[in-house]
Amino acid sequence: MSEYTDHHGPEGLRTRGTIVVVPGRGETRKTYTRLGRRLAADAYRVRVVGTPDIDADDLAGSLDRFGAELADIVEDTAAEDDVVHPVVLVAADTGAAAVAAFLGGAEAPAAWQPDAVVLAGLPGHAAADVGGWEDELEVRTSCPTHRGTLTEDNEVRRGSLEDAVPDAVLRAAYNGEVAVPALFLIGDADPLADHGALARTAKSQARARLSVVRGAHHDVLNDLQHRSVAAEIVTFLETVRNDLVPLIAVELSAW
């Protein structure tokens, strides 16, 4: 996870916060180029890292090392003396499971914590049988651009969605208490999700929001609805900056 890709905001604008994007199974940093550029366009400092390697046989140790790496990566984003807050982790699939397990799976609070998290496409416990590459693409996304990005990237590991997610990681992710504000994102057409378990987890958190994306598949950050999803993330980021007080309230609407 030591390598990363950076996306910077428009020149002349004050940076509004720091975002670290954590990919999931089979994905690469290139997978999140579109999302990184879009979030950066709203003056957020975005750094995309690699997929975390969590050892189920040494869960506590590997999560501690993962957290230490994240802390170093965030610290390294400082252009001058200070990291720009809020610091938000945006994580997908097993990246989301690792982040949730790191923040909420231990008996004691994690040594380092972000200011907020976005957990997208958190996988369920059920094993996946995705078949060939075209079948895997169907599970992941209906967006032709994202399908092309995955297909043309030689570093994308095909068949990775069939890799089992360690039960210990998922138990820690679903049962732990995440102390920071959390936005859960899931597609209603995600065949790898456990929607009931995710809803229970979101309800159990002190400061959480569960947003379901209509028609979205497993790669909810990169599916056809990616513009609306990015807007939901930016709205969450701005709400975090405003102490969780929404900046806009709908007073009247015809839909």
Side-chain angles (χ1 to χ4, degrees), residues 118-167:
V118 177
L119 303 174
L122 194 65
H125 286 270
D129 181 9
V130 299
W133 180 238
E134 289 301 320
D135 297 317
E136 183 172 352
L137 287 175
E138 181 63 27
V139 169
R140 285 187 175 276
T141 180
S142 57
C143 175
T145 299
H146 184 45
R147 287 186 174 208
T149 297
L150 293 171
T151 300
E152 294 164 13
D153 185 352
N154 293 331
E155 295 183 4
V156 166
R157 190 164 55 85
R158 301 187 180 193
S160 58
L161 289 183
E162 292 189 348
D163 292 350
V165 184
D167 280 341

Side-chain angles (χ1 to χ4, degrees), residues 24-46:
R25 286 169 291 183
E27 298 176 324
T28 72
R29 301 191 308 278
K30 291 180 182 178
T31 306
Y32 291 92
T33 298
R34 180 171 64 182
L35 176 68
R37 288 174 176 171
R38 178 161 284 126
L39 297 178
D42 277 301
Y44 283 89
R45 173 81 154 82
V46 181

Side-chain angles (χ1 to χ4, degrees), residues 152-223:
E152 294 164 13
D153 185 352
N154 293 331
E155 295 183 4
V156 166
R157 190 164 55 85
R158 301 187 180 193
S160 58
L161 289 183
E162 292 189 348
D163 292 350
V165 184
D167 280 341
V169 175
L170 290 176
R171 285 197 302 270
Y174 277 97
N175 299 328
E177 172 66 34
V178 176
V180 301
L183 170 63
F184 292 87
L185 287 167
I186 199 72
D188 70 358
D190 181 356
L192 305 185
D194 186 334
H195 296 271
L198 185 58
R200 289 190 294 272
T201 296
K203 287 179 181 178
S204 72
Q205 306 299 320
R207 293 178 293 173
R209 175 173 183 165
L210 172 59
S211 295
V212 178
V213 183
R214 293 176 179 170
H217 296 215
H218 185 62
D219 291 3
V220 66
L221 297 176
N222 282 305
D223 214 341

